[in-house]
Amino acid sequence: MTITSHRALKNGPLRQVTDLARTTPGVLGALALLLIVVGVTAGVFSAISVQRRAQALEDLASRSGPLSVAAQEIYRSLSDADATASGAFLAGGLEPAGVRTRFEQDIAQASNALAIAVAARETSDVTAANSPLATLSGQLPVYTGLVETARVNNRQGLPLGIAYQREASNLMRTQLLPAAQQLYDAEVSRVSADQDRAGGFPIAELLLGLSVLAVLVVAQVYVRRRTNRVFNIGLIAATGAAVISLLWVSIATFSVISSVDDSRVEGSSQVDVLARARIATLQARADETLTLVARGTGKVYQDDYVQVSTKLAGLINEASAKATDGAVSGEINSARANSQAWAKAHDEIRKQDDGGNYTAAVRLAIAAVPEGSGTAFDNLDADLREAIDRTRAAFNARVADASGALGGTVVVVSLLAIVVAVGATAGIWQRLKEYR
């Protein structure tokens, strides 16, 4: 660039812009532009942030929450089906109609819950090799086929039936239940992630809102000093809109944070512990029946029963400590009492079986008698199911509260951002006209 052209540029448009920036109209124009940019940016960002929270809450209510329930139902139904199928062998010959009905209902419920999980996932999640859904979808028909074969042989009095039932239980324990557990853990993680998204602290929203207020205050101070006007209606309106927007977003967001935290404490945290307790209950029941089915060779099942029972006692204590509702506490206390009754019945079963009185042991295990382990197990399972239903209802209620707190926030924030931009522009334009 030549010296002449450089001087021309210096004395041309650039010089004019520089000179204008040093004048009051130039500063006022820059402030107006800054207020428009900051106000609209803050409004758009806040609206997007609120919408993201709303979407996270929608996912909790319609996706991750229900899917975690479906995953839990898959595990529960499969585990109960296995325990029921194993217990049917203890009756010998044709199993009672109620036992058969319970098994069929468990398989139907597991299949329905699996269909829900499959429909909600991407195709790649279902077809991927060794994925939980692929394992469950592929191996559940194999399991039911083995159980049916075992049932046919058992009705004919053939010892081969026990072998098929053991194979079915082995498939359940080594493939189906681990896949169901993996699916449940994944869905619980999704619930937690959605709660984190919905209940995150609104740092950016608050900083942007405060930045808008700060720029408005600076603009009003400058205008007052330069024009000796105490009030500027446009800037006051813009400031009021910015304050309302900041308060609205803050109140709505902190209400959401509070409700989401409650959904953890009163809902998902308790549901998870209670669900794991119910799973342990079903595992222990399967171990108890398989120990008898094995006829003297079931030490591995008895050892697992002892471990799972210890785990169950710990989970019941943990659930009791986390309970926030009196009705839930009552169900947990009842569950503890039924768990102790079951342990007592199990000890008697082992005493009879180890003493050679297999028939008495089987009666205590499957007969509908007050002192039997089957009765205590059913009562314990019912207690845990009721507690889970109550805490899940609390979870859904808190999520609904959070969604309600955000109602209309996106629209209000967007409109107030427009008011900030229009008010600031109108207020400064009134002052700019004085310099014409």
Side-chain angles (χ1 to χ4, degrees), residues 227-397:
T227 65
N228 292 322
R229 301 293 181 86
V230 177
F231 298 108
N232 184 295
I233 302 302
L235 290 177
I236 290 176
T239 303
V243 170
I244 293 173
S245 179
L246 180 59
L247 289 176
W248 192 296
V249 171
S250 299
I251 293 172
T253 302
F254 284 113
S255 295
V256 169
I257 292 174
S258 177
S259 294
V260 170
D261 286 342
D262 289 342
S263 78
R264 293 183 194 269
V265 176
E266 300 176 17
S268 58
S269 178
Q270 294 185 54
V271 169
D272 183 48
V273 176
L274 290 165
R276 287 187 285 122
R278 197 178 185 195
I279 287 170
T281 300
L282 294 164
Q283 288 176 331
R285 178 59 174 173
D287 286 329
E288 183 177 64
T289 54
L290 285 170
T291 302
L292 292 173
V293 170
R295 298 296 293 266
T297 61
K299 183 177 183 303
V300 62
Y301 300 122
Q302 173 59 20
D303 290 343
D304 191 62
Y305 170 88
V306 173
Q307 294 178 1
V308 174
S309 295
T310 301
K311 178 182 178 181
L312 173 60
L315 289 170
I316 290 176
N317 289 334
E318 183 179 354
S320 180
K322 289 188 173 185
T324 55
D325 180 81
V328 173
S329 295
E331 296 293 345
I332 294 174
N333 290 334
S334 178
R336 182 183 288 108
N338 284 314
S339 175
Q340 293 168 351
W342 182 13
K344 182 178 179 181
H346 180 80
D347 289 342
E348 184 62 25
I349 289 173
R350 296 312 323 139
K351 178 181 177 180
Q352 295 295 332
D353 188 28
D354 294 339
N357 195 349
Y358 182 76
T359 302
V362 169
R363 177 181 175 276
L364 287 172
I366 65 173
V369 293
E371 70 276 13
S373 66
T375 300
F377 160 74
D378 288 338
N379 292 337
L380 171 58
D381 185 62
D383 290 334
L384 293 175
R385 181 180 66 249
E386 182 64 26
I388 289 173
D389 289 344
R390 290 182 183 276
T391 50
R392 187 178 294 133
F395 169 82
N396 292 335

Side-chain angles (χ1 to χ4, degrees), residues 82 85-86 89 103 141-173 290 293 301:
D82 192 45
S86 298
F89 269 76
F103 174 80
V142 177
Y143 169 79
T144 55
L146 288 171
V147 171
E148 187 60 28
T149 302
R151 177 173 176 260
V152 170
N153 282 274
N154 189 47
R155 291 181 63 181
Q156 296 175 357
L158 300 177
L160 192 59
I162 295 178
Y164 276 107
Q165 183 57 42
R166 284 182 176 178
E167 181 64 23
S169 292
N170 182 64
L171 177 63
M172 178 67 73
R173 287 167 172 262
L290 285 170
V293 170
Y301 300 122

